[in-house]
Amino acid sequence: MKILLTGATGYIGSAVTEHLAAAGHQVVALTRGAEPRPGRAWHAQVVGDTTDPASLAGAVGPDIEGVIHLAPPSGDADVDTAVVEALAAPLRGTGRPFVYTSGVWVLGATGGAREVGEDAPTDPIGIVGYRPLIERRVLAEAAEGVRAVVVRPAVVYGRGGGIPAILVDRARGQGVPEYYGEEGVRWPTVHVDDLAGLFVAAVERAGAGTVWHGVGEPAVPVRELARAAGRAAGVLAAPHAVPVEQAAEVFGPLFAEALALDQSVSGAAARTVLGWQPERPGAVAELTAGSYRPVEVFGAPEGAGTDAEVAAIRRLVAEVEHAQQNELVDGFLAVFRREDPVWTTGHGKRLSGFEEIAAFTRKVLPGATAGSTAVYDVERVLFLRPDVAAVNVRQQPVGPDGGRLADRPEGRPFYVLVKEDGVWRVGAAQNTVVVG
Ligand SMILES: NC(=O)c1ccc[n+]([C@@H]2O[C@H](COP(=O)([O-])OP(=O)(O)OC[C@H]3O[C@@H](n4cnc5c(N)ncnc54)[C@H](OP(=O)(O)O)[C@@H]3O)[C@@H](O)[C@H]2O)c1
């Protein structure tokens, strides 16, 4: 399909562009300026400004087979209604799709344990007070022969961006991770690449007059997101609750209200009806060991292939951390290669072969985390060969609340990893305690 995409340069629009192109569609990007943007998977570029509906006349020509409207609304109901009119009217009577981007904040505070579906009534918070009106305006186009669809994304994360990046910046700036409002606040979340997949599914096959929640995880405790954001910022401290009034001084009252909003929202319908399959790591995992904390990489070309290998290596190191923190002997041993692994501990004890490592682990791991454990961050990956990597890790001792234990030394684990049968495992490991 040839698809007009507004907001194509933005956070979500960049991912949607890539996923549309990968699915074989042609993206016609509507941009505010005419300057070319090299490197984008756009078929063509047209100029228009969504604060000036007249500038959109002609953007949806007869060759446009669908529209995805991602550019944010102006907040002026008349202007935003005129924008929908300008983009949807040329599609009337064609059955072609018009996908409008709203957001889960139109549902307001959902409260309780139940996940709220698309059939729930809207109860928008202030920052999106205008949006249900535009949603209704869009859905009314179904009666005019337009395949009108509304997608409501959750809080979007991934690719180091979105609102979670604000949590990371704040943790770095304040020296302590922050969350806003009550301790129990939960956000529905979605990975930007999973969300892009939903836009592709919606434009290809969502029925006329339908609404879809773009939700990967229905209710992530924001306190846990904040803790993970601290990790990404290199700040190991227990998260600190900031009252909404105080947050309003930093973010303004409307955004502060949104950050403190407690929601539990279901994205099940898109999975069962559209066959949408969100498969990226969850928001906490992504913040802890994903795109929010870049790793230095050597010996491999930049690109998606290397990114995927580095992500797999980080997952392996996250497994080491998880097994260590939870005293999981089998989990810890699973990270080692079976054939002749060697491990030299931080105290200089060399263990040769899987059996020796297993015996030592069974002896020392149970009970090892009483009072203290450790976090592991991959800092540097050198690909010696595509299937052999030398990995530098930073190991910091933390207490039960996740705070850094200042009186304990750090470690500098070094792993030689080998990829066999598609799986990275530790072939050799050495830890060095940092002295002084
Ligand atoms: N991010 C989230 O967590 C989230 C969650 C739910 C819903 N949403 C909604 O999803 C949509 C996209 O969000 P995003 O996070 O991708 O935003 P973003 O990164 O700020 O991108 C906004 C995009 O819209 C374009 N744009 C802005 N004003 C425009 C105008 N007057 N005319 C034409 N284009 C204009 C921008 O183009 P330029 O390059 O010219 O600036 C950019 O491509 C928004 O409607 C947002 O409310 C986002």
Side-chain angles (χ1 to χ4, degrees):
M1 264 190 252
K2 189 183 271 192
I3 296 166
L4 182 80
L5 178 65
T6 74
T9 56
Y11 176 47
I12 301 172
S14 299
V16 171
T17 296
E18 289 172 28
H19 285 251
L20 284 172
H25 300 295
Q26 293 179 331
V27 174
V28 178
L30 182 126
T31 55
R32 284 193 267 195
E35 72 277 14
R37 313 281 181 118
R40 303 232 166 215
W42 294 341
H43 171 76
Q45 195 176 344
V46 295
V47 175
D49 188 324
T50 55
T51 58
D52 174 17
S55 72
L56 305 175
V60 184
D63 60 328
I64 295 294
E65 295 163 284
V67 174
I68 298 179
H69 182 24
L70 260 170
S74 69
D76 178 315
D78 292 339
V79 172
D80 295 330
T81 303
V83 167
V84 171
E85 173 72 23
L87 295 175
L91 302 176
R92 284 181 191 148
T94 65
R96 291 178 174 178
F98 177 84
V99 181
Y100 172 71
T101 314
S102 178
V104 294
W105 289 345
V106 297
L107 298 164
T110 63
R114 202 176 74 84
E115 293 169 19
V116 166
E118 287 83 349
D119 54 350
T122 55
D123 182 17
I125 54 170
I127 199 166
V128 293
Y130 52 87
R131 265 197 155 146
L133 173 92
I134 312 178
E135 284 189 357
R136 287 195 292 278
R137 175 70 190 76
V138 169
L139 295 172
E141 289 293 335
E144 306 294 331
V146 178
R147 188 151 62 76
V149 177
V150 170
V151 172
R152 292 178 182 155
V155 173
V156 187
Y157 67 91
R159 299 193 181 201
I163 291 173
I166 297 174
L167 297 184
V168 177
D169 285 347
R170 289 290 299 174
R172 192 176 289 119
Q174 303 301 302
V176 59
E178 289 181 344
Y179 62 99
Y180 309 97
E182 304 295 320
E183 181 173 341
V185 165
R186 300 155 303 162
W187 291 351
T189 59
V190 66
H191 193 287
V192 67
D193 284 278
D194 285 331
L195 178 63
L198 177 60
F199 275 98
V200 174
V203 81
E204 286 179 347
R205 52 187 184 272
T210 54
V211 178
W212 306 95
H213 289 169
V215 175
E217 297 172 290
V220 182
V222 181
R223 196 166 188 278
E224 293 314 310
L225 285 177
R227 188 190 299 280
R231 218 22 223 289
V235 175
L236 297 179
H240 163 69
V242 176
V244 185
E245 308 73 46
Q246 216 174 308
E249 289 168 19
V250 180
F251 301 110
L254 290 177
F255 192 41
E257 182 191 18
L259 293 174
L261 188 64
D262 179 41
Q263 292 194 303
S264 174
V265 180
S266 170
R271 288 170 173 80
T272 51
V273 181
L274 297 179
W276 177 50
Q277 290 179 326
E279 58 192 16
R280 303 303 189 288
V284 169
E286 183 71 15
L287 277 160
T288 305
S291 55
Y292 294 83
R293 185 152 195 192
V295 173
E296 283 188 288
V297 178
F298 302 89
E302 272 184 34
T306 299
D307 290 350
E309 297 301 349
V310 172
I313 287 169
R314 294 178 94 157
R315 280 198 296 279
L316 181 77
V317 174
E319 274 180 49
V320 173
E321 177 186 285
H322 179 74
Q324 202 268 357
Q325 289 184 347
N326 297 284
E327 301 181 1
L328 305 173
V329 171
D330 290 344
F332 188 77
L333 293 176
V335 305
F336 284 94
R337 202 166 168 255
R338 288 279 162 158
E339 200 182 327
D340 302 326
V342 57
W343 171 23
T344 308
T345 71
H347 297 109
K349 186 175 178 59
R350 185 186 299 141
L351 304 159
S352 294
F354 190 82
E355 286 315 318
E356 216 173 289
I357 291 172
F360 180 79
T361 304
R362 281 190 203 103
K363 200 167 100 196
V364 303
L365 189 54
T369 63
S372 84
T373 179
V375 296
Y376 294 66
D377 290 303
V378 176
E379 295 195 316
R380 190 178 189 277
V381 176
L382 166 64
F383 286 96
L384 298 163
R385 288 192 338 206
D387 57 349
V388 178
V391 180
N392 293 101
V393 175
R394 181 179 183 189
Q395 179 197 43
Q396 298 180 78
V398 294
D401 67 351
R404 175 78 171 81
L405 293 174
D407 58 339
R408 303 274 181 100
E410 291 192 13
R412 290 282 183 274
F414 176 71
Y415 303 138
V416 177
L417 305 184
V418 184
K419 188 179 182 187
E420 287 163 332
D421 300 326
V423 181
W424 287 100
R425 289 217 169 78
V426 177
Q430 167 131 17
N431 197 4
T432 305
V433 174
V434 179
V435 181

